[in-house]
Amino acid sequence: MTEQFTLVVVSAGTSDPSSTRLLADRAAQRVATLAAEKQYEVDVQVVELRELAGEIANALVSNHIGAKLQKAIKALQHADGIVASTPVYKAGASGLFTSFFQILDNDLLIAKPVVLAATAGTARHALVVDDQMRGLFAYLRTVVVPTSLFASTEDWQDNALNKRIDRAALELVALMAAGFEKQVRSESWGRYQHEFGSAGGTELSIDLDSDLMRLAAGGHA
Amino acid sequence: MQFGVFSVSDITRDPVSGETPSEAERIDAIVQIAEKAEEVGLDVFAIGEHHNPPFFSSAPTTLLAHIAAKTKKLIVSTATTLITTNDPVRIAEEYAMLQHLAKGRMDLMLGRGNTAPVYPWFGADIRQSLPMALENYNLLHRLWREDVVDWEGKFRTPLQGFTSTPRPLDDVPPFVWHGSIRTPEIAEQAAYYGDGFFANNIFWPKEHYMRLIKFYRQRYAHYGHGTEKQAIVGLGGQAYIAKRSQDAINEFRPYFNEAPVYGHGPKMEDFMEMTPLSVGSPQEVIDKTLTFREHFGDYQRQMFLMDHAGLPLKTVLNQLDLLGEEVVPVLRKEIESRQDPETAKPPTHALRVKEKYGDQPARQPRPNANRGDNVTGGSPYQDSE
């Protein structure tokens, strides 16, 4: 029986198609191919952040999660792996990209394997992924694969990019196949910080045996 | 079921006229709004508490005592009283005093306050907000029920032989609602004491509030105060009404677009679809409000936010006419016919006196002559040792 993985591609590219999306698609494609060689089936879903730009801005200023944004959150919540790809603007990831991930509940992506990717007009931005984006995904408690993807204009004609895509893709497949996320979530979920209603509205357990709960019921903290 | 209006006390520029009311004008206006609420047959008026501009309501009991004096039937309440930065001893005293002056026509809703800089102005720390709220209420609850309190906790000076005066009217403490959006501990405390639970129901999709209300109802039953259906629930809501639906939408849109908190954000139509906001004809507001009980179960109090975002006084008074004359009477009738017979009656002082004393006279505490302290001896009141 083949196991099925859901891979969610998040792209903050702005043109259609964008090189940012192209890079993400190539990574997703390789993930699917390499997974198939190991008898895994991969279902790829794509979240185009440009289509959510208005709702992302609304959510940032008013906590109001629109319908399309809710759908994207749900997709990520069920993802076994993620490819997150952004253009580099002014020596940093696109504000659209970081805004989207800043809106998510802190515990939505815990232990999920992620390939990070960025595109830029110049190779001088090459360290944006490792120096800036990894921090955000570390905060979200994801597992970012060792190989980061970065493509500036000249990389698109260099076969070395394909090699790096292959490396990152296999790293992601290995992490998904190892069941790391499932194990962490099933055995250790309670050790992470949660809020009532977090994890995209699914975290509803209430610990009645806490100091605060005893205080709520007339006791002493 | 009780219907009322609650105000945040914001002083907001009217985006249509460009005018910002003065504090004096807005405070005059709020009194007129409360009087109007009674005139059009609403049951409750509630005011928020804030300690920073652009809000005026830093001293809610002063305002509410004034309103109570100018009205006959209206219940005055808060939305919310800060149980964190206020000393629970002062809350006990001020609201008991209000209860006497209002002849029992009052209750209060407790909230924590989410503006971090306010806390240090009152010697508090927002990081301790939740344990502080829980501990403060544990103390407040005792201050209204025990004539003499010895107490020690983490967040205020210990009390030795302290009596909060005046004792509650008829020795029946004011009814308390606990307001919360997503904090199970607050719902647990409301359930533990058999108090009311209020979900502001304004900013977020209903699912957020449904989870917590369900938990509160379960715990209310767990603590033996009644069945889940008998738990005391209040809900907020927000409406703008005009005879013709399109007029309501056109008139309210500029205020929505620049409203504090959600303004400059989502489109009004999207917000209406995803939150309890209704903008439309009386019938549309009625239909939407009637869906609330389907999601949250039968409840005791429905509050509407009507005077925010810079809406001018004239418009607000007109809104209250429409709410009181065309919306609420229909809602009363419809809800009465649909409501589960097990549903608890809304809390009033008269009802609570009856629950405590039946047909017996209520206790009227008379203090002993001053002996300088009440640390020694039993009770400072004549009717107890």
mmCIF file with all atom_site columns, all heavy atoms in Angstrom, chain B residues 276 278 281-295 304 326-327 330-331 334 338:
data_model
loop_
_atom_site.group_PDB
_atom_site.id
_atom_site.type_symbol
_atom_site.label_atom_id
_atom_site.label_alt_id
_atom_site.label_comp_id
_atom_site.label_asym_id
_atom_site.label_entity_id
_atom_site.label_seq_id
_atom_site.pdbx_PDB_ins_code
_atom_site.Cartn_x
_atom_site.Cartn_y
_atom_site.Cartn_z
_atom_site.occupancy
_atom_site.B_iso_or_equiv
_atom_site.pdbx_formal_charge
_atom_site.auth_seq_id
_atom_site.auth_comp_id
_atom_site.auth_asym_id
_atom_site.auth_atom_id
_atom_site.pdbx_PDB_model_num
ATOM 1   N N   . PRO B 1 276 ? -20.957 38.756 13.756 1.00 0.00 ? 276 PRO B N   1
ATOM 2   C CA  . PRO B 1 276 ? -22.359 39.067 14.067 1.00 0.00 ? 276 PRO B CA  1
ATOM 3   C C   . PRO B 1 276 ? -22.825 40.460 13.644 1.00 0.00 ? 276 PRO B C   1
ATOM 4   O O   . PRO B 1 276 ? -23.973 40.799 13.889 1.00 0.00 ? 276 PRO B O   1
ATOM 5   C CB  . PRO B 1 276 ? -22.418 38.929 15.592 1.00 0.00 ? 276 PRO B CB  1
ATOM 6   C CG  . PRO B 1 276 ? -21.249 38.094 15.942 1.00 0.00 ? 276 PRO B CG  1
ATOM 7   C CD  . PRO B 1 276 ? -20.187 38.466 14.959 1.00 0.00 ? 276 PRO B CD  1
ATOM 8   N N   . SER B 1 278 ? -24.726 43.212 11.978 1.00 0.00 ? 278 SER B N   1
ATOM 9   C CA  . SER B 1 278 ? -25.792 43.332 10.983 1.00 0.00 ? 278 SER B CA  1
ATOM 10  C C   . SER B 1 278 ? -25.982 44.787 10.602 1.00 0.00 ? 278 SER B C   1
ATOM 11  O O   . SER B 1 278 ? -26.112 45.653 11.451 1.00 0.00 ? 278 SER B O   1
ATOM 12  C CB  . SER B 1 278 ? -27.141 42.767 11.452 1.00 0.00 ? 278 SER B CB  1
ATOM 13  O OG  . SER B 1 278 ? -27.146 42.391 12.780 1.00 0.00 ? 278 SER B OG  1
ATOM 14  N N   . SER B 1 281 ? -32.089 46.392 7.257  1.00 0.00 ? 281 SER B N   1
ATOM 15  C CA  . SER B 1 281 ? -33.436 46.747 7.686  1.00 0.00 ? 281 SER B CA  1
ATOM 16  C C   . SER B 1 281 ? -33.705 46.105 9.042  1.00 0.00 ? 281 SER B C   1
ATOM 17  O O   . SER B 1 281 ? -33.000 45.173 9.441  1.00 0.00 ? 281 SER B O   1
ATOM 18  C CB  . SER B 1 281 ? -34.437 46.227 6.662  1.00 0.00 ? 281 SER B CB  1
ATOM 19  O OG  . SER B 1 281 ? -34.419 44.808 6.690  1.00 0.00 ? 281 SER B OG  1
ATOM 20  N N   . PRO B 1 282 ? -34.741 46.588 9.746  1.00 0.00 ? 282 PRO B N   1
ATOM 21  C CA  . PRO B 1 282 ? -35.083 45.953 11.023 1.00 0.00 ? 282 PRO B CA  1
ATOM 22  C C   . PRO B 1 282 ? -35.232 44.435 10.879 1.00 0.00 ? 282 PRO B C   1
ATOM 23  O O   . PRO B 1 282 ? -34.735 43.677 11.712 1.00 0.00 ? 282 PRO B O   1
ATOM 24  C CB  . PRO B 1 282 ? -36.409 46.618 11.400 1.00 0.00 ? 282 PRO B CB  1
ATOM 25  C CG  . PRO B 1 282 ? -36.332 47.975 10.777 1.00 0.00 ? 282 PRO B CG  1
ATOM 26  C CD  . PRO B 1 282 ? -35.577 47.786 9.490  1.00 0.00 ? 282 PRO B CD  1
ATOM 27  N N   . GLN B 1 283 ? -35.880 43.994 9.794  1.00 0.00 ? 283 GLN B N   1
ATOM 28  C CA  . GLN B 1 283 ? -36.094 42.562 9.632  1.00 0.00 ? 283 GLN B CA  1
ATOM 29  C C   . GLN B 1 283 ? -34.767 41.809 9.480  1.00 0.00 ? 283 GLN B C   1
ATOM 30  O O   . GLN B 1 283 ? -34.599 40.718 10.019 1.00 0.00 ? 283 GLN B O   1
ATOM 31  C CB  . GLN B 1 283 ? -36.994 42.290 8.420  1.00 0.00 ? 283 GLN B CB  1
ATOM 32  C CG  . GLN B 1 283 ? -37.497 40.848 8.337  1.00 0.00 ? 283 GLN B CG  1
ATOM 33  C CD  . GLN B 1 283 ? -38.254 40.411 9.603  1.00 0.00 ? 283 GLN B CD  1
ATOM 34  O OE1 . GLN B 1 283 ? -39.140 41.115 10.075 1.00 0.00 ? 283 GLN B OE1 1
ATOM 35  N NE2 . GLN B 1 283 ? -37.881 39.264 10.174 1.00 0.00 ? 283 GLN B NE2 1
ATOM 36  N N   . GLU B 1 284 ? -33.816 42.410 8.771  1.00 0.00 ? 284 GLU B N   1
ATOM 37  C CA  . GLU B 1 284 ? -32.521 41.742 8.607  1.00 0.00 ? 284 GLU B CA  1
ATOM 38  C C   . GLU B 1 284 ? -31.782 41.625 9.941  1.00 0.00 ? 284 GLU B C   1
ATOM 39  O O   . GLU B 1 284 ? -31.151 40.615 10.227 1.00 0.00 ? 284 GLU B O   1
ATOM 40  C CB  . GLU B 1 284 ? -31.668 42.502 7.584  1.00 0.00 ? 284 GLU B CB  1
ATOM 41  C CG  . GLU B 1 284 ? -32.125 42.239 6.158  1.00 0.00 ? 284 GLU B CG  1
ATOM 42  C CD  . GLU B 1 284 ? -31.464 43.175 5.152  1.00 0.00 ? 284 GLU B CD  1
ATOM 43  O OE1 . GLU B 1 284 ? -31.452 44.409 5.378  1.00 0.00 ? 284 GLU B OE1 1
ATOM 44  O OE2 . GLU B 1 284 ? -30.968 42.669 4.145  1.00 0.00 ? 284 GLU B OE2 1
ATOM 45  N N   . VAL B 1 285 ? -31.861 42.691 10.747 1.00 0.00 ? 285 VAL B N   1
ATOM 46  C CA  . VAL B 1 285 ? -31.212 42.653 12.056 1.00 0.00 ? 285 VAL B CA  1
ATOM 47  C C   . VAL B 1 285 ? -31.896 41.602 12.939 1.00 0.00 ? 285 VAL B C   1
ATOM 48  O O   . VAL B 1 285 ? -31.240 40.843 13.656 1.00 0.00 ? 285 VAL B O   1
ATOM 49  C CB  . VAL B 1 285 ? -31.229 44.048 12.713 1.00 0.00 ? 285 VAL B CB  1
ATOM 50  C CG1 . VAL B 1 285 ? -30.646 43.997 14.116 1.00 0.00 ? 285 VAL B CG1 1
ATOM 51  C CG2 . VAL B 1 285 ? -30.458 45.051 11.852 1.00 0.00 ? 285 VAL B CG2 1
ATOM 52  N N   . ILE B 1 286 ? -33.212 41.539 12.856 1.00 0.00 ? 286 ILE B N   1
ATOM 53  C CA  . ILE B 1 286 ? -33.967 40.546 13.625 1.00 0.00 ? 286 ILE B CA  1
ATOM 54  C C   . ILE B 1 286 ? -33.543 39.134 13.208 1.00 0.00 ? 286 ILE B C   1
ATOM 55  O O   . ILE B 1 286 ? -33.212 38.292 14.046 1.00 0.00 ? 286 ILE B O   1
ATOM 56  C CB  . ILE B 1 286 ? -35.493 40.718 13.392 1.00 0.00 ? 286 ILE B CB  1
ATOM 57  C CG1 . ILE B 1 286 ? -35.981 41.996 14.083 1.00 0.00 ? 286 ILE B CG1 1
ATOM 58  C CG2 . ILE B 1 286 ? -36.276 39.502 13.912 1.00 0.00 ? 286 ILE B CG2 1
ATOM 59  C CD1 . ILE B 1 286 ? -37.349 42.471 13.619 1.00 0.00 ? 286 ILE B CD1 1
ATOM 60  N N   . ASP B 1 287 ? -33.506 38.900 11.915 1.00 0.00 ? 287 ASP B N   1
ATOM 61  C CA  . ASP B 1 287 ? -33.180 37.556 11.424 1.00 0.00 ? 287 ASP B CA  1
ATOM 62  C C   . ASP B 1 287 ? -31.783 37.128 11.881 1.00 0.00 ? 287 ASP B C   1
ATOM 63  O O   . ASP B 1 287 ? -31.577 36.002 12.314 1.00 0.00 ? 287 ASP B O   1
ATOM 64  C CB  . ASP B 1 287 ? -33.247 37.511 9.884  1.00 0.00 ? 287 ASP B CB  1
ATOM 65  C CG  . ASP B 1 287 ? -34.691 37.606 9.387  1.00 0.00 ? 287 ASP B CG  1
ATOM 66  O OD1 . ASP B 1 287 ? -35.606 37.387 10.211 1.00 0.00 ? 287 ASP B OD1 1
ATOM 67  O OD2 . ASP B 1 287 ? -34.893 37.925 8.196  1.00 0.00 ? 287 ASP B OD2 1
ATOM 68  N N   . LYS B 1 288 ? -30.835 38.047 11.765 1.00 0.00 ? 288 LYS B N   1
ATOM 69  C CA  . LYS B 1 288 ? -29.466 37.684 12.146 1.00 0.00 ? 288 LYS B CA  1
ATOM 70  C C   . LYS B 1 288 ? -29.373 37.439 13.649 1.00 0.00 ? 288 LYS B C   1
ATOM 71  O O   . LYS B 1 288 ? -28.738 36.473 14.087 1.00 0.00 ? 288 LYS B O   1
ATOM 72  C CB  . LYS B 1 288 ? -28.499 38.797 11.735 1.00 0.00 ? 288 LYS B CB  1
ATOM 73  C CG  . LYS B 1 288 ? -27.066 38.479 12.070 1.00 0.00 ? 288 LYS B CG  1
ATOM 74  C CD  . LYS B 1 288 ? -26.146 38.855 10.945 1.00 0.00 ? 288 LYS B CD  1
ATOM 75  C CE  . LYS B 1 288 ? -24.734 38.415 11.246 1.00 0.00 ? 288 LYS B CE  1
ATOM 76  N NZ  . LYS B 1 288 ? -23.793 38.769 10.191 1.00 0.00 ? 288 LYS B NZ  1
ATOM 77  N N   . THR B 1 289 ? -30.019 38.307 14.433 1.00 0.00 ? 289 THR B N   1
ATOM 78  C CA  . THR B 1 289 ? -29.939 38.152 15.886 1.00 0.00 ? 289 THR B CA  1
ATOM 79  C C   . THR B 1 289 ? -30.588 36.838 16.323 1.00 0.00 ? 289 THR B C   1
ATOM 80  O O   . THR B 1 289 ? -30.119 36.193 17.265 1.00 0.00 ? 289 THR B O   1
ATOM 81  C CB  . THR B 1 289 ? -30.592 39.363 16.586 1.00 0.00 ? 289 THR B CB  1
ATOM 82  O OG1 . THR B 1 289 ? -30.042 40.560 16.032 1.00 0.00 ? 289 THR B OG1 1
ATOM 83  C CG2 . THR B 1 289 ? -30.335 39.343 18.088 1.00 0.00 ? 289 THR B CG2 1
ATOM 84  N N   . LEU B 1 290 ? -31.627 36.460 15.615 1.00 0.00 ? 290 LEU B N   1
ATOM 85  C CA  . LEU B 1 290 ? -32.299 35.203 15.975 1.00 0.00 ? 290 LEU B CA  1
ATOM 86  C C   . LEU B 1 290 ? -31.411 33.979 15.741 1.00 0.00 ? 290 LEU B C   1
ATOM 87  O O   . LEU B 1 290 ? -31.622 32.926 16.350 1.00 0.00 ? 290 LEU B O   1
ATOM 88  C CB  . LEU B 1 290 ? -33.605 35.049 15.182 1.00 0.00 ? 290 LEU B CB  1
ATOM 89  C CG  . LEU B 1 290 ? -34.787 35.864 15.712 1.00 0.00 ? 290 LEU B CG  1
ATOM 90  C CD1 . LEU B 1 290 ? -35.976 35.764 14.768 1.00 0.00 ? 290 LEU B CD1 1
ATOM 91  C CD2 . LEU B 1 290 ? -35.190 35.421 17.117 1.00 0.00 ? 290 LEU B CD2 1
ATOM 92  N N   . THR B 1 291 ? -30.399 34.115 14.877 1.00 0.00 ? 291 THR B N   1
ATOM 93  C CA  . THR B 1 291 ? -29.507 32.967 14.661 1.00 0.00 ? 291 THR B CA  1
ATOM 94  C C   . THR B 1 291 ? -28.578 32.748 15.861 1.00 0.00 ? 291 THR B C   1
ATOM 95  O O   . THR B 1 291 ? -28.048 31.663 16.039 1.00 0.00 ? 291 THR B O   1
ATOM 96  C CB  . THR B 1 291 ? -28.616 33.140 13.413 1.00 0.00 ? 291 THR B CB  1
ATOM 97  O OG1 . THR B 1 291 ? -27.730 34.254 13.633 1.00 0.00 ? 291 THR B OG1 1
ATOM 98  C CG2 . THR B 1 291 ? -29.429 33.376 12.159 1.00 0.00 ? 291 THR B CG2 1
ATOM 99  N N   . PHE B 1 292 ? -28.379 33.781 16.692 1.00 0.00 ? 292 PHE B N   1
ATOM 100 C CA  . PHE B 1 292 ? -27.410 33.655 17.791 1.00 0.00 ? 292 PHE B CA  1
ATOM 101 C C   . PHE B 1 292 ? -27.771 32.499 18.716 1.00 0.00 ? 292 PHE B C   1
ATOM 102 O O   . PHE B 1 292 ? -26.919 31.729 19.141 1.00 0.00 ? 292 PHE B O   1
ATOM 103 C CB  . PHE B 1 292 ? -27.315 34.954 18.611 1.00 0.00 ? 292 PHE B CB  1
ATOM 104 C CG  . PHE B 1 292 ? -26.755 36.143 17.864 1.00 0.00 ? 292 PHE B CG  1
ATOM 105 C CD1 . PHE B 1 292 ? -26.722 37.393 18.460 1.00 0.00 ? 292 PHE B CD1 1
ATOM 106 C CD2 . PHE B 1 292 ? -26.269 36.014 16.565 1.00 0.00 ? 292 PHE B CD2 1
ATOM 107 C CE1 . PHE B 1 292 ? -26.215 38.499 17.782 1.00 0.00 ? 292 PHE B CE1 1
ATOM 108 C CE2 . PHE B 1 292 ? -25.761 37.106 15.878 1.00 0.00 ? 292 PHE B CE2 1
ATOM 109 C CZ  . PHE B 1 292 ? -25.741 38.362 16.498 1.00 0.00 ? 292 PHE B CZ  1
ATOM 110 N N   . ARG B 1 293 ? -29.053 32.394 19.064 1.00 0.00 ? 293 ARG B N   1
ATOM 111 C CA  . ARG B 1 293 ? -29.442 31.359 20.024 1.00 0.00 ? 293 ARG B CA  1
ATOM 112 C C   . ARG B 1 293 ? -29.256 29.963 19.431 1.00 0.00 ? 293 ARG B C   1
ATOM 113 O O   . ARG B 1 293 ? -29.068 28.998 20.151 1.00 0.00 ? 293 ARG B O   1
ATOM 114 C CB  . ARG B 1 293 ? -30.868 31.566 20.535 1.00 0.00 ? 293 ARG B CB  1
ATOM 115 C CG  . ARG B 1 293 ? -31.941 31.600 19.467 1.00 0.00 ? 293 ARG B CG  1
ATOM 116 C CD  . ARG B 1 293 ? -33.329 31.758 20.079 1.00 0.00 ? 293 ARG B CD  1
ATOM 117 N NE  . ARG B 1 293 ? -33.779 30.542 20.745 1.00 0.00 ? 293 ARG B NE  1
ATOM 118 C CZ  . ARG B 1 293 ? -34.216 29.465 20.111 1.00 0.00 ? 293 ARG B CZ  1
ATOM 119 N NH1 . ARG B 1 293 ? -34.244 29.421 18.795 1.00 0.00 ? 293 ARG B NH1 1
ATOM 120 N NH2 . ARG B 1 293 ? -34.613 28.408 20.787 1.00 0.00 ? 293 ARG B NH2 1
ATOM 121 N N   . GLU B 1 294 ? -29.311 29.889 18.083 1.00 0.00 ? 294 GLU B N   1
ATOM 122 C CA  . GLU B 1 294 ? -29.077 28.591 17.458 1.00 0.00 ? 294 GLU B CA  1
ATOM 123 C C   . GLU B 1 294 ? -27.621 28.156 17.627 1.00 0.00 ? 294 GLU B C   1
ATOM 124 O O   . GLU B 1 294 ? -27.319 26.979 17.751 1.00 0.00 ? 294 GLU B O   1
ATOM 125 C CB  . GLU B 1 294 ? -29.428 28.646 15.962 1.00 0.00 ? 294 GLU B CB  1
ATOM 126 C CG  . GLU B 1 294 ? -30.933 28.783 15.722 1.00 0.00 ? 294 GLU B CG  1
ATOM 127 C CD  . GLU B 1 294 ? -31.264 29.273 14.326 1.00 0.00 ? 294 GLU B CD  1
ATOM 128 O OE1 . GLU B 1 294 ? -30.401 29.153 13.431 1.00 0.00 ? 294 GLU B OE1 1
ATOM 129 O OE2 . GLU B 1 294 ? -32.380 29.794 14.140 1.00 0.00 ? 294 GLU B OE2 1
ATOM 130 N N   . HIS B 1 295 ? -26.713 29.119 17.634 1.00 0.00 ? 295 HIS B N   1
ATOM 131 C CA  . HIS B 1 295 ? -25.288 28.784 17.773 1.00 0.00 ? 295 HIS B CA  1
ATOM 132 C C   . HIS B 1 295 ? -24.848 28.643 19.225 1.00 0.00 ? 295 HIS B C   1
ATOM 133 O O   . HIS B 1 295 ? -24.015 27.814 19.546 1.00 0.00 ? 295 HIS B O   1
ATOM 134 C CB  . HIS B 1 295 ? -24.425 29.854 17.105 1.00 0.00 ? 295 HIS B CB  1
ATOM 135 C CG  . HIS B 1 295 ? -24.722 30.056 15.659 1.00 0.00 ? 295 HIS B CG  1
ATOM 136 N ND1 . HIS B 1 295 ? -24.671 29.029 14.753 1.00 0.00 ? 295 HIS B ND1 1
ATOM 137 C CD2 . HIS B 1 295 ? -25.111 31.159 14.961 1.00 0.00 ? 295 HIS B CD2 1
ATOM 138 C CE1 . HIS B 1 295 ? -24.990 29.485 13.557 1.00 0.00 ? 295 HIS B CE1 1
ATOM 139 N NE2 . HIS B 1 295 ? -25.278 30.765 13.655 1.00 0.00 ? 295 HIS B NE2 1
ATOM 140 N N   . PHE B 1 304 ? -26.152 45.410 22.312 1.00 0.00 ? 304 PHE B N   1
ATOM 141 C CA  . PHE B 1 304 ? -25.758 45.914 20.995 1.00 0.00 ? 304 PHE B CA  1
ATOM 142 C C   . PHE B 1 304 ? -24.809 47.096 21.156 1.00 0.00 ? 304 PHE B C   1
ATOM 143 O O   . PHE B 1 304 ? -25.023 47.964 22.003 1.00 0.00 ? 304 PHE B O   1
ATOM 144 C CB  . PHE B 1 304 ? -26.986 46.379 20.204 1.00 0.00 ? 304 PHE B CB  1
ATOM 145 C CG  . PHE B 1 304 ? -27.887 45.272 19.750 1.00 0.00 ? 304 PHE B CG  1
ATOM 146 C CD1 . PHE B 1 304 ? -29.034 44.964 20.480 1.00 0.00 ? 304 PHE B CD1 1
ATOM 147 C CD2 . PHE B 1 304 ? -27.600 44.544 18.611 1.00 0.00 ? 304 PHE B CD2 1
ATOM 148 C CE1 . PHE B 1 304 ? -29.886 43.944 20.066 1.00 0.00 ? 304 PHE B CE1 1
ATOM 149 C CE2 . PHE B 1 304 ? -28.443 43.517 18.186 1.00 0.00 ? 304 PHE B CE2 1
ATOM 150 C CZ  . PHE B 1 304 ? -29.584 43.218 18.918 1.00 0.00 ? 304 PHE B CZ  1
ATOM 151 N N   . GLU B 1 326 ? -38.663 48.778 16.581 1.00 0.00 ? 326 GLU B N   1
ATOM 152 C CA  . GLU B 1 326 ? -38.926 47.844 15.481 1.00 0.00 ? 326 GLU B CA  1
ATOM 153 C C   . GLU B 1 326 ? -38.185 46.511 15.593 1.00 0.00 ? 326 GLU B C   1
ATOM 154 O O   . GLU B 1 326 ? -38.601 45.532 14.980 1.00 0.00 ? 326 GLU B O   1
ATOM 155 C CB  . GLU B 1 326 ? -38.580 48.507 14.142 1.00 0.00 ? 326 GLU B CB  1
ATOM 156 C CG  . GLU B 1 326 ? -39.270 49.857 14.033 1.00 0.00 ? 326 GLU B CG  1
ATOM 157 C CD  . GLU B 1 326 ? -39.595 50.242 12.609 1.00 0.00 ? 326 GLU B CD  1
ATOM 158 O OE1 . GLU B 1 326 ? -39.484 49.371 11.720 1.00 0.00 ? 326 GLU B OE1 1
ATOM 159 O OE2 . GLU B 1 326 ? -39.945 51.400 12.399 1.00 0.00 ? 326 GLU B OE2 1
ATOM 160 N N   . VAL B 1 327 ? -37.100 46.486 16.335 1.00 0.00 ? 327 VAL B N   1
ATOM 161 C CA  . VAL B 1 327 ? -36.307 45.254 16.378 1.00 0.00 ? 327 VAL B CA  1
ATOM 162 C C   . VAL B 1 327 ? -36.574 44.461 17.664 1.00 0.00 ? 327 VAL B C   1
ATOM 163 O O   . VAL B 1 327 ? -36.981 43.300 17.618 1.00 0.00 ? 327 VAL B O   1
ATOM 164 C CB  . VAL B 1 327 ? -34.789 45.561 16.236 1.00 0.00 ? 327 VAL B CB  1
ATOM 165 C CG1 . VAL B 1 327 ? -33.957 44.306 16.440 1.00 0.00 ? 327 VAL B CG1 1
ATOM 166 C CG2 . VAL B 1 327 ? -34.514 46.168 14.861 1.00 0.00 ? 327 VAL B CG2 1
ATOM 167 N N   . VAL B 1 330 ? -40.000 42.594 18.396 1.00 0.00 ? 330 VAL B N   1
ATOM 168 C CA  . VAL B 1 330 ? -40.143 41.366 17.607 1.00 0.00 ? 330 VAL B CA  1
ATOM 169 C C   . VAL B 1 330 ? -39.238 40.268 18.159 1.00 0.00 ? 330 VAL B C   1
ATOM 170 O O   . VAL B 1 330 ? -39.643 39.107 18.294 1.00 0.00 ? 330 VAL B O   1
ATOM 171 C CB  . VAL B 1 330 ? -39.815 41.637 16.115 1.00 0.00 ? 330 VAL B CB  1
ATOM 172 C CG1 . VAL B 1 330 ? -40.012 40.374 15.292 1.00 0.00 ? 330 VAL B CG1 1
ATOM 173 C CG2 . VAL B 1 330 ? -40.670 42.774 15.586 1.00 0.00 ? 330 VAL B CG2 1
ATOM 174 N N   . LEU B 1 331 ? -38.014 40.658 18.505 1.00 0.00 ? 331 LEU B N   1
ATOM 175 C CA  . LEU B 1 331 ? -37.083 39.668 19.059 1.00 0.00 ? 331 LEU B CA  1
ATOM 176 C C   . LEU B 1 331 ? -37.634 39.070 20.352 1.00 0.00 ? 331 LEU B C   1
ATOM 177 O O   . LEU B 1 331 ? -37.550 37.861 20.582 1.00 0.00 ? 331 LEU B O   1
ATOM 178 C CB  . LEU B 1 331 ? -35.724 40.318 19.346 1.00 0.00 ? 331 LEU B CB  1
ATOM 179 C CG  . LEU B 1 331 ? -34.802 40.556 18.135 1.00 0.00 ? 331 LEU B CG  1
ATOM 180 C CD1 . LEU B 1 331 ? -33.559 41.320 18.567 1.00 0.00 ? 331 LEU B CD1 1
ATOM 181 C CD2 . LEU B 1 331 ? -34.412 39.240 17.480 1.00 0.00 ? 331 LEU B CD2 1
ATOM 182 N N   . GLU B 1 334 ? -40.410 36.616 19.362 1.00 0.00 ? 334 GLU B N   1
ATOM 183 C CA  . GLU B 1 334 ? -39.896 35.435 18.657 1.00 0.00 ? 334 GLU B CA  1
ATOM 184 C C   . GLU B 1 334 ? -39.108 34.536 19.594 1.00 0.00 ? 334 GLU B C   1
ATOM 185 O O   . GLU B 1 334 ? -39.253 33.311 19.578 1.00 0.00 ? 334 GLU B O   1
ATOM 186 C CB  . GLU B 1 334 ? -39.000 35.867 17.488 1.00 0.00 ? 334 GLU B CB  1
ATOM 187 C CG  . GLU B 1 334 ? -39.751 36.510 16.344 1.00 0.00 ? 334 GLU B CG  1
ATOM 188 C CD  . GLU B 1 334 ? -40.660 35.517 15.623 1.00 0.00 ? 334 GLU B CD  1
ATOM 189 O OE1 . GLU B 1 334 ? -40.275 34.341 15.512 1.00 0.00 ? 334 GLU B OE1 1
ATOM 190 O OE2 . GLU B 1 334 ? -41.760 35.922 15.201 1.00 0.00 ? 334 GLU B OE2 1
ATOM 191 N N   . ARG B 1 338 ? -39.672 30.598 20.986 1.00 0.00 ? 338 ARG B N   1
ATOM 192 C CA  . ARG B 1 338 ? -38.731 29.539 20.602 1.00 0.00 ? 338 ARG B CA  1
ATOM 193 C C   . ARG B 1 338 ? -37.921 29.008 21.776 1.00 0.00 ? 338 ARG B C   1
ATOM 194 O O   . ARG B 1 338 ? -37.344 27.933 21.703 1.00 0.00 ? 338 ARG B O   1
ATOM 195 C CB  . ARG B 1 338 ? -37.721 30.081 19.573 1.00 0.00 ? 338 ARG B CB  1
ATOM 196 C CG  . ARG B 1 338 ? -38.389 30.535 18.297 1.00 0.00 ? 338 ARG B CG  1
ATOM 197 C CD  . ARG B 1 338 ? -37.386 31.219 17.393 1.00 0.00 ? 338 ARG B CD  1
ATOM 198 N NE  . ARG B 1 338 ? -38.099 31.916 16.314 1.00 0.00 ? 338 ARG B NE  1
ATOM 199 C CZ  . ARG B 1 338 ? -37.562 32.245 15.155 1.00 0.00 ? 338 ARG B CZ  1
ATOM 200 N NH1 . ARG B 1 338 ? -36.310 31.949 14.911 1.00 0.00 ? 338 ARG B NH1 1
ATOM 201 N NH2 . ARG B 1 338 ? -38.277 32.864 14.245 1.00 0.00 ? 338 ARG B NH2 1
#
